[in-house]
Amino acid sequence: MIELLPVTEPSFLDFLNKTYRTDGKFAFVCVEKKEIKSSLIYDVRKQKGIILNVSTVEEDIFDGLVRACFAALLEIGIHQAEFAPEIDSAMTKKLGFVGENPYLVESLDEILDNCKKCKNNQD
Amino acid sequence: MEKIRIQKVIADSGYCSRRKAEELILNRHVKVNGHLALTGQKIDPVKDVLTIDGERIYYQTKKEHVYLMMNKPRGYITSMSDDRGRRCVTELLPNLDVRVYPVGRLDLNTEGLLLFTSDGKFANDMMHPSRSVSKTYRVTVRPDITDEQAVKLSEGVMIDGRVTAPAEVRVLSKEPNRVVMELVIREGRNRQVRKMCEAVGLEVARLKRTAFGPLKLGMLKPGTCRELKPEELRAIRGAVKKPERRRK
């Protein structure tokens, strides 16, 4: 089973920032069979969530990490986000996170309310 | 001139390392003024006639030392010669008046920054594990690196019965089935980077040394060499950790 968990250990957050050359204050990890497979590093700047790195090229895990981050942002009252230019824009577009602007996520609420794959929305 | 230990004279001449010189002396290849030399024997490098297998060895003062940086291409072995006919890095060296030796080694399939020098002490300082000179590698691995694997590489992994010293890991790019990372290590164990990657389940597709301490490969073309600039030489000497003195 895959779990998406927030990073609570500051030293591990430091490690992720060093490894991916970022300076984020928050992160989520994808854990499978007790092994940390990949991560998402983000920050909040000027009332906007900034996704600094997503360390996976697997579509489902990428999608899950980004949605976990978006949900966490909404919980603290942030409704917009931006992907760093280093993040694969083909992937973010394919997953429907961005529109014409390849970096900006206009509405996190909309993204989380309109999950294409979500069974609840298929009716 | 002040008398100097014979193995130092040989090493400073660029003929071989100090350790190799000791072997040559023990194996009766070295003579001083026609008499077999002894390990630790002190000689006047200017007046005394020093020979190895009949070849006269001339003492070099430090001013004459040569320091080169090479961008070693893949397919060359780091050796002065090879009895199996493989291509050696020495084939890529320019014609020099002095004999230079590689500082450490890069595997046949590893490319990048390789230093050469005629200065035995410098070579020894650069290679000795206690001096902790960093080596930076650009490593392309397959299939993908998990964060757990990155943690293991950075904390140290068991290779050849010993755990490696902490390393710095930076992921530079990720593509499906291919990750490029930068790995900084401070040891120089045999095939260390490849073994570290194998130990965590990664296959190394390409390995290139991009820096040696503060020296950077930059845009040096593969298969070419250049002399180190005076400021580079100062920087690399400054980067060498001084050996700790034993307290009584």
Side-chain angles (χ1 to χ4, degrees):
Chain A
M1 192 184 81
I2 283 175
E3 286 178 285
L4 300 167
L5 305 168
V7 173
T8 52
E9 184 64 48
S11 62
F12 187 63
L13 182 64
D14 284 348
F15 170 79
L16 290 176
N17 275 318
K18 271 184 199 158
T19 302
Y20 296 105
R21 298 173 297 156
T22 54
D23 57 349
K25 293 192 176 60
F26 312 97
F28 270 91
V29 286
C30 167
V31 180
E32 188 180 16
K33 292 175 188 165
K34 292 182 180 175
E35 189 180 340
I36 301 164
K37 292 283 184 186
S38 42
S39 58
L40 177 147
I41 305 166
Y42 71 105
D43 204 349
V44 177
R45 294 170 193 169
K46 295 179 184 171
Q47 283 298 298
K48 204 185 274 181
I50 311 289
I51 319 300
L52 298 165
N53 188 72
V54 187
S55 76
T56 182
V57 287
E58 283 182 50
E59 205 176 296
D60 289 347
I61 296 173
F62 191 106
D63 187 67
L65 282 167
V66 171
R67 285 175 186 278
C69 165
F70 286 177
L73 288 169
L74 280 173
E75 273 183 24
I76 55 168
I78 305 292
H79 297 270
Q80 264 199 344
E82 205 172 289
F83 286 99
E86 294 79 17
I87 294 175
D88 181 6
S89 55
M91 177 80 92
T92 53
K93 199 157 191 174
K94 188 179 175 187
L95 292 170
F97 294 132
V98 291
E100 278 186 21
N101 184 328
Y103 307 116
L104 185 68
V105 186
E106 293 275 6
S107 168
L108 301 184
D109 310 72
E110 208 172 294
I111 295 283
L112 292 190
D113 289 344
N114 295 305
C115 175
K116 285 179 198 166
K117 291 179 183 173
C118 182
K119 286 175 187 172
N120 299 330
N121 286 344
Q122 283 178 353
D123 299 330
Chain B
M1 187 172 180
E2 191 189 345
K3 290 196 170 187
I4 302 171
R5 280 181 192 272
I6 190 165
Q7 50 267 52
K8 178 170 165 44
V9 176
I10 296 170
D12 284 350
S13 76
Y15 189 90
C16 61
S17 67
R18 210 179 283 204
R19 192 173 293 175
K20 183 77 185 166
E22 285 171 10
E23 278 176 34
L24 289 170
I25 296 163
L26 284 171
N27 292 321
R28 304 161 71 91
H29 292 276
V30 184
K31 286 183 178 175
V32 179
N33 302 325
H35 301 286
L36 278 177
L38 301 169
T39 308
Q41 180 182 347
K42 287 187 172 180
I43 63 166
D44 183 328
V46 176
K47 284 184 187 166
D48 292 325
V49 178
L50 174 65
T51 57
I52 299 176
D53 292 330
E55 183 189 341
R56 176 92 192 252
I57 302 298
Y58 292 95
Y59 181 64
Q60 287 182 342
T61 60
K62 280 181 183 170
K63 280 179 203 165
E64 293 162 333
H65 285 314
V66 172
Y67 305 89
L68 295 172
M69 174 194 291
M70 175 189 281
N71 185 350
K72 176 195 170 293
R74 279 185 282 184
Y76 283 80
I77 61 163
T78 309
S79 180
M80 301 305 285
S81 61
D82 185 50
D83 48 17
R84 288 160 62 186
R86 291 174 297 180
R87 290 180 294 181
C88 300
V89 286
T90 44
E91 293 169 31
L92 302 167
L93 289 170
N95 286 327
L96 298 164
D97 296 333
V98 291
R99 201 184 283 227
V100 293
Y101 289 85
V103 179
R105 304 171 82 86
L106 288 179
D107 302 336
L108 177 74
N109 288 320
T110 302
E111 55 196 308
L113 200 163
L114 183 62
L115 292 176
F116 286 83
T117 185
S118 57
D119 182 344
K121 186 181 181 307
F122 174 84
N124 192 47
D125 280 351
M126 294 303 125
M127 288 189 285
H128 202 278
S130 68
R131 304 304 172 95
S132 302
V133 180
S134 67
K135 289 113 192 157
T136 306
Y137 293 86
R138 189 182 168 93
V139 197
T140 307
V141 292
R142 291 184 183 131
D144 188 8
I145 185 171
T146 65
D147 287 347
E148 193 89 22
Q149 286 168 320
V151 170
K152 284 178 187 164
L153 286 175
S154 70
E155 287 180 346
V157 290
M158 181 73 84
I159 59 168
D160 302 328
R162 263 193 312 139
V163 177
T164 56
E168 289 167 40
V169 183
R170 277 183 283 276
V171 175
L172 303 178
S173 72
K174 271 199 176 200
E175 289 168 27
N177 211 31
R178 181 179 177 274
V179 175
V180 181
M181 61 177 175
E182 189 178 77
L183 195 63
V184 183
I185 58 170
R186 286 185 166 74
E187 297 168 295
R189 288 156 67 176
N190 184 31
R191 294 170 62 85
Q192 181 169 346
V193 174
R194 288 182 193 275
K195 285 178 181 174
M196 284 171 73
C197 291
E198 281 165 17
V200 299
L202 294 168
E203 181 201 336
V204 175
R206 195 170 176 184
L207 182 58
K208 182 178 187 177
R209 182 153 71 191
T210 55
F212 193 108
L215 303 179
K216 291 193 168 54
L217 187 62
M219 300 303 283
L220 189 63
K221 284 183 184 170
T224 62
C225 288
R226 70 166 175 84
E227 273 200 61
L228 293 188
K229 296 170 193 162
E231 60 268 28
E232 287 179 319
L233 204 48
R234 275 197 298 276
I236 184 75
R237 286 200 160 117
V240 174
K241 191 178 157 190
K242 299 284 178 283
E244 285 176 19
R245 287 191 177 178
R246 284 183 190 169
R247 284 182 185 171
K248 285 182 182 176

